[in-house]
Amino acid sequence: MAVFLVDAEVMAQARFGTSQLTETLGALNILRRGQPLPWHRVWRDQYVDAFHGYLDGDPVTAAILAHAISSSWMADFLTVPPARPDMTLDDELVELESLSDGRIREDLAYVRSPLAPELRGTGLASRTAALLRWVWRHTIEADWPRRQSVLRADVVSRISRLGRDGWSGVINDMRPGMRWLGDGRLQVEERPYPPCDVRGGTLTFFAAHCRGGWISWRLPDRFGIVYPVTGIFTEAALSTPDPLRRLLGTARSRILVQAAEPVSTTAVVAATGLPLGTVGGHLRVLTEAGLLKKRRSGREVLYWWTDTARALVAGASSF
């Protein structure tokens, strides 16, 4: 198993955040995989033909992608953690675009060797950045405010759990193969990679809409862990049962279904498209009716189901 060696100072200063480049890499992976997860399928179907059309028209970029990502690894030059959370994509790409062709070829050969003939030329960094900008602009940018609201709600929820359950309560369900071992050891992968000493460095957790997440670093001192959320893709899965809609009304029942896990007012607004005032009023009614619990976490108030709500939704879904 692969382990990050951490200490109290690293974990005390660990941050949560979002990243436009990380979100773009997650989307890129979903588009390139032949078997998407069920909640990714509808989104992927909208863009996959245009994505393959882009690669068909640019064999060099197609070769970069084929070498950069395998089933168990992404090239290091793609996955450098942002210097800080919430940077713009263009700001994040400055680091990638500064890399030499030799450095990129070195990373690509590590994932898959020998290198394809298309990779002998120049301009590999600019072609990679162009692909990432294409994915961002064509598949994410217009929906980024909504996506970011869902990501930030997940971040708020995990920070709230950290205060209640400690790091083990936050990390153990973050991504496959990851768990808190204690004694300064954070298991980040089940695969048998050597331990990585993070002590003296920075560690940031990035929420993203992706398949399984990944580990990233810029040695010697910047480390990141990307973990998946599914909120932006699960509108169909979070369908509202007809009996529940008849009982509570369309808007209120939709809001209740969104709160199966801790969710902020902002995230509910993003997921439902309802005005902030309307969402706030319905959340207050559902809370007063004993269907939602609430708790403030930083600037946000989180809402989630009570046992009564869970039984109500389950019963309505069985009809």
Side-chain angles (χ1 to χ4, degrees), residues 3 54 105 153 185 239 264 309:
V3 172
Y54 182 101
R105 275 191 282 267
R185 296 181 304 145
S239 59
S264 69

Side-chain angles (χ1 to χ4, degrees), residues 15 17-22 79-88 91-92 95 202 204 206 216 218 222-224 226:
R15 298 177 294 176
T18 65
S19 156
Q20 293 184 359
L21 177 55
T22 298
T79 61
V80 173
R84 62 186 185 277
D86 303 321
M87 296 172 65
T88 66
D91 285 342
E92 291 194 59
E95 197 161 351
T202 62
T204 307
F206 293 99
S216 60
R218 184 189 181 191
R222 195 193 309 171
F223 301 87
V226 178

Side-chain angles (χ1 to χ4, degrees), residues 172-179 187-190 211-213 228:
N172 287 354
D173 67 347
M174 186 172 277
R175 59 182 298 268
M178 186 168 165
R179 61 193 181 98
Q187 178 180 314
V188 295
E189 291 276 2
E190 291 181 331
R211 186 178 179 96

Side-chain angles (χ1 to χ4, degrees), residues 219-287:
L219 299 176
D221 59 1
R222 195 193 309 171
F223 301 87
I225 296 175
V226 178
Y227 66 92
V229 296
T230 57
I232 206 80
F233 296 114
T234 57
E235 188 171 343
L238 293 174
S239 59
T240 307
D242 286 339
L244 191 67
R245 190 162 50 246
R246 290 195 296 269
L247 176 66
L248 299 177
T250 300
R252 199 167 290 167
S253 60
R254 286 178 64 197
I255 291 170
L256 180 63
V257 168
Q258 291 291 329
E261 299 294 335
V263 66
S264 69
T265 306
T266 304
V268 175
V269 169
T272 62
L274 295 170
L276 177 62
T278 299
V279 168
H282 288 315
L283 287 170
R284 183 175 61 254
V285 170
L286 292 168
T287 302

Side-chain angles (χ1 to χ4, degrees), residues 87-161:
M87 296 172 65
T88 66
L89 179 69
D90 284 335
D91 285 342
E92 291 194 59
L93 287 176
V94 167
E95 197 161 351
L96 187 155
E97 290 176 308
S98 72
L99 299 177
S100 68
D101 293 311
R103 162 64 197 283
I104 290 179
R105 275 191 282 267
E106 182 181 345
D107 272 4
L108 295 177
Y110 182 87
V111 179
R112 176 182 163 191
S113 187
L115 289 177
E118 292 87 350
L119 300 176
R120 295 171 183 163
T122 61
L124 300 181
S126 61
R127 285 181 181 271
T128 305
L131 171 64
L132 293 167
R133 287 191 174 97
W134 185 92
V135 173
W136 167 260
R137 290 168 181 165
H138 286 78
T139 76
I140 299 173
E141 186 174 25
D143 202 31
W144 175 242
R146 179 170 175 252
R147 282 181 175 242
Q148 191 176 40
S149 293
V150 173
L151 298 175
R152 284 177 171 169
D154 183 278
V155 166
V156 170
S157 174
R158 290 189 184 274
I159 292 173
S160 175
R161 288 170 59 187

